[in-house]
Amino acid sequence: MSEKRAVILDALLPDDKGLKPVNDIICELLEQNGYDVLIFQLNELNLNHCIGCFGCWIKTPGVCIIHDDAQKIHKEIMQSDSVVLVTPVSFGGYSSQLKKIIDRLIPNILPHFNYYHDEIHHIPRYLHYPKLIAIGIQDNSDNHETNTFKLLVGRNAMNLKFPDYSVEVVSNKDSLNTIRNQIQNLFNRNDKWPLKEDILPLMSLTMPEISDINFESSGKALLIIGSPKTKKSSTSAVLGNTFLERLNIKGWETESLTLNKNIMEEKGHSHLLSAVDNADLIVFTFPLYIDALPFLVIKSLELIAAQRMALKNLSNKRIFIIVNSGFPESYQNSLALSICNNFAVKCGFTWCGALAMGSGEAICSGQPLNKGNSFSRPPGNHIVNALNIAGDAIAKTDPVPQSVQKLISKSPIPILPFSIWRWIFIKMGNLWWQKQSNENGVSKQDMLKRPYEVIRDS
Ligand SMILES: Cc1cc2nc3c(=O)[nH]c(=O)nc-3n(C[C@H](O)[C@H](O)[C@H](O)COP(=O)(O)O)c2cc1C
């Protein structure tokens, strides 16, 4: 019997025609490389999406509080040597089907923060993690999407503590032989970690590219709130509503909706799509989940793109993105912005820029930024200022000045260098997780539990 185990997370849907042979090649190659293979056909499983409650860190350490098939996947991943992701490429990211389970992988790491490659990340829960292998499948080759996908897999490997990774994007128009050649060395090859300098250029990719279409300086703005949090207010909602208020003051008609209400039920889909159809400006606001967009947001992009592609006469619309992450470095949001940018291009939306904020949970955590009715105090004033400047520019159909991204990215404590803010973030953040766990009766020791640990010969 083989000693190596591979788990395949297969996100292909029954109507992803012509992709089955790719799957067969992957299984055949894994077996040739000496692996026992276990396949999870994701569309056949009972899987819910992450609701951002952090229960898997502070209530039941290492185990997600939602009881469905995800626990079995977590266990099998931690007991395997390689995890293989197979997914259609959705705007340069994973399809929503795969993203649903990727978002659910945070129980396998610890909440505590530390430096890693000079960035802040979480620390490992387990002693051993498998290798991550990803195969993205495209209908038509697209270099931007391919580049985003490859960087995303590398960043996910860093974030989720996979010690090695390799990634390939194949086109289902290619012959099976070409595909086989592309993926056969994935099992023996390790790709390079994408560091800050590799992803930073994607922040400016997303800067204004206002085309020569004449847009009206007033109209209808639709705010789409993509945080899946259900129990408390989200930072995404606070940021999005602050921005919307500014547009309102400038004479825009505004409407907002949450994806929580509109994605999980079919009748919500038509509400979302008609709201998008009726808007001149679409504003997405969402949290960063595993270096990308949360499941709910990806799913909404897939629905909107499918509708846009079915229409012949596309009305002109503009799109603006507000994303907030837990880690303090705002550039960690750059792959999420790149995915949104690819989506905008595909849908024929005019990109009017984006704002990416770090330390969302630490600075805002769903609380109003204008607490005490003062917009002039730290730690929220520079964020409100940035949103207002962006709002004013967009209301006038001007490009959003590049300096606004710099403003929202700065240290929230005046004069304090960003490097010291990061140090404080780690210390305070680790104490905060400990306090939250204690309040749930979880001791310091219990926070570190490894429920799916496999004992290995060293
Ligand atoms: C499943 C999950 C994955 C996350 N992944 C990341 C990540 O990759 N990078 C990061 O900086 N923050 C990450 N976060 C933190 C959120 O981006 C952060 O808590 C954010 O402020 C939540 O915003 P919201 O209140 O709008 O939901 C993650 C949170 C969850 C629940």
Side-chain angles (χ1 to χ4, degrees), residues 50 52 54 103 106 159 227 229 234-236 287-291 324-327 360-361:
C50 173
F54 298 120
D103 289 349
I106 63 165
N159 214 348
S227 172
K229 279 184 186 161
S234 68
T235 299
S236 304
L288 189 71
Y289 271 20
I290 322 290
D291 307 292
N324 85 93
S325 60
F327 301 142
E361 209 75 60

Side-chain angles (χ1 to χ4, degrees), residues 50-54 57 99 102-106 120 122 156 159 225-229 232-237 285-292 324-329 332-333 359-362 365-366:
C50 173
I51 51 166
C53 70
F54 298 120
W57 284 345
K99 194 61 180 37
I102 297 291
D103 289 349
R104 299 275 304 276
L105 294 184
I106 63 165
I120 293 181
H122 295 290
N156 283 180
N159 214 348
I225 303 171
S227 172
K229 279 184 186 161
K232 59 176 213 163
S233 167
S234 68
T235 299
S236 304
T285 179
F286 59 86
L288 189 71
Y289 271 20
I290 322 290
D291 307 292
N324 85 93
S325 60
F327 301 142
E329 301 93 354
Q332 293 217 36
N333 290 293
S359 316
E361 209 75 60
S365 193

Side-chain angles (χ1 to χ4, degrees), residues 247-265:
L247 289 181
N248 219 225
I249 291 171
K250 298 285 164 186
W252 280 62
E253 209 180 300
T254 56
E255 181 190 349
S256 76
L257 58 81
T258 65
L259 292 178
N260 254 335
K261 281 217 178 76
N262 287 282
I263 287 296
M264 299 320 292
E265 287 174 32

Side-chain angles (χ1 to χ4, degrees), residues 282-286 319-323 336-337 340 351 353-356:
I282 299 153
V283 182
F284 270 96
T285 179
F286 59 86
I319 183 165
F320 184 68
I321 308 294
I322 304 170
V323 53
L337 298 186
C340 292
W351 181 258
L355 278 180

Side-chain angles (χ1 to χ4, degrees), residues 4 6 21 26 31 70 86 91 112 137 204 236 308 316 327 332 336 339 400 408 440:
K4 290 196 284 183
I26 295 166
E31 278 161 18
V86 186
F91 320 110
H112 310 79
I137 303 171
S204 45
S236 304
R308 296 278 293 179
N316 294 321
F327 301 142
Q332 293 217 36
I339 290 171
V400 177
I408 205 169
N440 287 297

Side-chain angles (χ1 to χ4, degrees), residues 378 381-382 410-421 424:
N381 59 325
H382 67 292
K410 75 185 189 84
S411 160
I413 306 172
I415 319 179
L416 193 80
F418 195 73
S419 55
I420 314 252
W421 160 241
I424 294 173

